[in-house]
Amino acid sequence: SAAMLAVAFRGPQLTRAMGIYLAGFAIAQVSGPTVGGLLTAHVGWRWMFLLAVPIGLGALVVGYGALRHLPPSVPTRKRWREAVDVPGNALLVLMITAALVGLSAAQRGGWLSATTLLPLALAGLLLAPFVVVEHRHASPAVAVDLLRDRDFALANLAGMLLAVPLMVPTIVLSLWFQGLGGLS
């Protein structure tokens, strides 16, 4: 994640690492639906799971090459507590789960129903404690302090704004084909 990159790299190296990290998302967003569609249409959907194996192995090789210069460490119980942000990860899981439950309920009950608004409100209410926990932890799950850097924050905002127009048509078209065309 971006937080791990910020710990492993500094200065110009961080900028280069973030560029490579975000380029991976851009490549996946553009090539993923195309490659996935070709595979499922011509070979079968089961091959989608096998495609992840070489990609994962390649990521391990690249990750090892990029991080091998870091000093080796033996995690102790104390260092494990410092290195793993259990409260932050737990809050993150709760926030994402509540948001997904709320968004999923909107389809059945509508946007103003209690089954939609309560989980979404819970996700919003958990945001403040999450930020507090992340500020206090030595190795936060999400390094919110990085967003103070204007260039970093704008690069992430640009990445998000570029990703949304790529994802929305895919979702809308798939729902349209399912709903109106009866295709699965």
Side-chain angles (χ1 to χ4, degrees):
S1 74
M4 288 189 280
L5 289 174
V7 171
F9 300 101
R10 296 282 178 226
Q13 287 183 329
L14 175 62
T15 306
R16 183 170 181 253
M18 285 302 299
I20 293 169
Y21 179 72
L22 293 172
F25 282 111
I27 292 167
Q29 289 171 352
V30 172
S31 65
T34 305
V35 172
L38 288 171
L39 270 175
T40 25
H42 297 290
V43 184
W45 63 268
R46 290 173 180 86
W47 284 89
M48 293 300 296
F49 298 103
L50 291 175
L51 180 64
V53 173
I55 292 172
L57 290 174
L60 284 173
V61 169
V62 170
Y64 175 77
L67 300 175
R68 71 174 180 257
H69 68 278
L70 295 177
S73 63
V74 178
T76 62
R77 284 182 187 235
K78 181 181 178 186
R79 288 190 61 196
W80 178 256
R81 282 192 298 268
E82 292 172 0
V84 178
D85 180 16
V86 175
N89 281 297
L91 283 169
L92 189 60
V93 167
L94 286 173
M95 283 189 323
I96 291 171
T97 302
L100 289 175
V101 167
L103 293 172
S104 298
Q107 185 179 10
R108 290 185 308 274
W111 286 102
L112 298 177
S113 70
T115 57
T116 301
L117 292 177
L118 288 176
L120 290 176
L122 175 63
L125 289 173
L126 290 173
L127 186 60
F130 175 74
V131 170
V132 170
V133 166
E134 296 307 280
H135 276 295
R136 293 182 180 167
H137 202 278
S139 301
V142 176
V144 291
D145 292 340
L146 288 175
L147 296 175
R148 289 184 183 160
D149 180 356
R150 182 177 177 266
D151 292 337
F152 183 83
L154 289 174
N156 278 284
L157 178 63
M160 182 190 76
L161 292 175
L162 288 171
V164 169
L166 293 172
M167 289 185 285
V168 170
T170 305
I171 295 167
V172 170
L173 285 174
S174 65
L175 292 173
W176 184 75
F177 283 125
Q178 288 176 3
L180 296 177
L183 302 171
S184 62

